[in-house]
Amino acid sequence: MSTVKRSRRVLIVCHCLLNANAKVFPLATCPGVCMTPLRRSLEEGAGLLQLPCPETVALGLNRFGMTREQYDHPAFRRACRTMLEPSLDQIEVYASAGYELMGLVGVDGSPNCGVQTTCYGFRGGELSAPESNTEEQVANLCLAPGRGVFMEEMLSALEARNLCIPLFAVNESNPELLVAADRLSTERR
Ligand code: SF4
């Protein structure tokens, strides 16, 4: 079989960019594939390597929207590392074979896949309890600079394997744009 046609170029993408059905209801901004920010890479011959959605793997489709503080737990981080292993093995194989790893595309605003911004605020608690002030909890929610939990684990794992891949982000609130992200500019809060 001929291998001439293959591009030898691979773009790594967070799961919901190829499957918006994984997003917390009702956040999807497209029916399925988020085409616009990926189109140029596809035209340049990119093959896509889809990472697992950590939230859907761990909590399923009936999960509530949560913040970075809620996901930032050792057991969840361990689960992220475990679910990333098969993807990391594939990425390493492509790198070893001399394929171009064009980039890693995250989702800004996500508590897990945020590259430059993530979602902070709610730290947990029983919303239906009389003492709970739901409006105050909602008012506390904000987007601010920082990485998502899953993205932090992904970047640490890439570093451990000596894999340096350009970072990009699609913004949850403006999914038309693909922006290059600085590896160093976003400090953990
Ligand atoms: S941003 Fe990450 S965690 Fe959120 S739905 Fe997409 S893949 Fe899943």
Side-chain angles (χ1 to χ4, degrees):
M1 191 170 74
S2 170
T3 59
V4 172
K5 284 188 174 176
R6 69 175 59 198
S7 68
R8 299 175 67 86
R9 308 183 87 193
V10 177
L11 183 71
I12 303 151
V13 293
C14 281
H15 186 97
C16 63
L17 296 174
L18 298 187
N19 177 23
N21 297 295
K23 294 192 83 69
V24 169
F25 185 83
L27 289 189
T29 53
C30 67
V33 176
C34 200
M35 283 296 294
T36 309
L38 301 177
R39 183 166 285 121
R40 185 162 167 202
S41 300
L42 295 175
E43 288 168 357
E44 290 173 355
L48 302 178
L49 195 156
Q50 182 183 30
L51 297 178
C53 170
E55 297 179 14
T56 305
V57 171
L59 296 170
L61 292 178
N62 293 333
R63 66 190 186 276
F64 287 111
M66 294 182 14
T67 58
R68 192 196 135 86
E69 289 94 330
Q70 292 170 287
Y71 282 112
D72 191 7
H73 181 279
F76 182 74
R77 284 183 176 273
R78 188 160 55 243
C80 289
R81 291 195 291 274
T82 300
M83 69 182 86
L84 276 168
E85 284 293 311
S87 302
L88 288 159
D89 288 348
Q90 292 173 70
I91 293 165
E92 191 172 330
V93 163
Y94 283 118
S96 301
Y99 283 54
E100 180 190 352
L101 295 166
M102 300 168 71
L104 163 60
V105 187
V107 180
D108 270 351
S110 161
N112 273 299
C113 299
V115 174
Q116 302 178 118
T117 58
T118 187
C119 174
Y120 296 96
F122 187 46
R123 292 170 189 270
E126 175 53 62
L127 290 174
S128 66
E131 301 85 359
S132 181
N133 186 336
T134 310
E135 286 175 12
E136 190 183 318
Q137 292 278 18
V138 172
N140 279 343
L141 297 176
C142 70
L143 298 178
R147 304 247 196 258
V149 170
F150 180 76
M151 187 56 63
E152 275 185 349
E153 294 299 331
M154 176 69 180
L155 294 176
S156 297
L158 287 172
E159 197 177 318
R161 293 180 187 230
N162 289 319
L163 295 166
C164 187
I165 301 173
L167 271 181
F168 297 90
V170 171
N171 195 304
E172 272 194 325
S173 57
N174 183 9
E176 302 295 298
L177 278 181
L178 179 67
V179 295
D182 189 335
R183 238 164 215 289
L184 303 173
S185 67
T186 305
E187 294 296 323
R188 185 174 168 182
R189 213 164 84 153

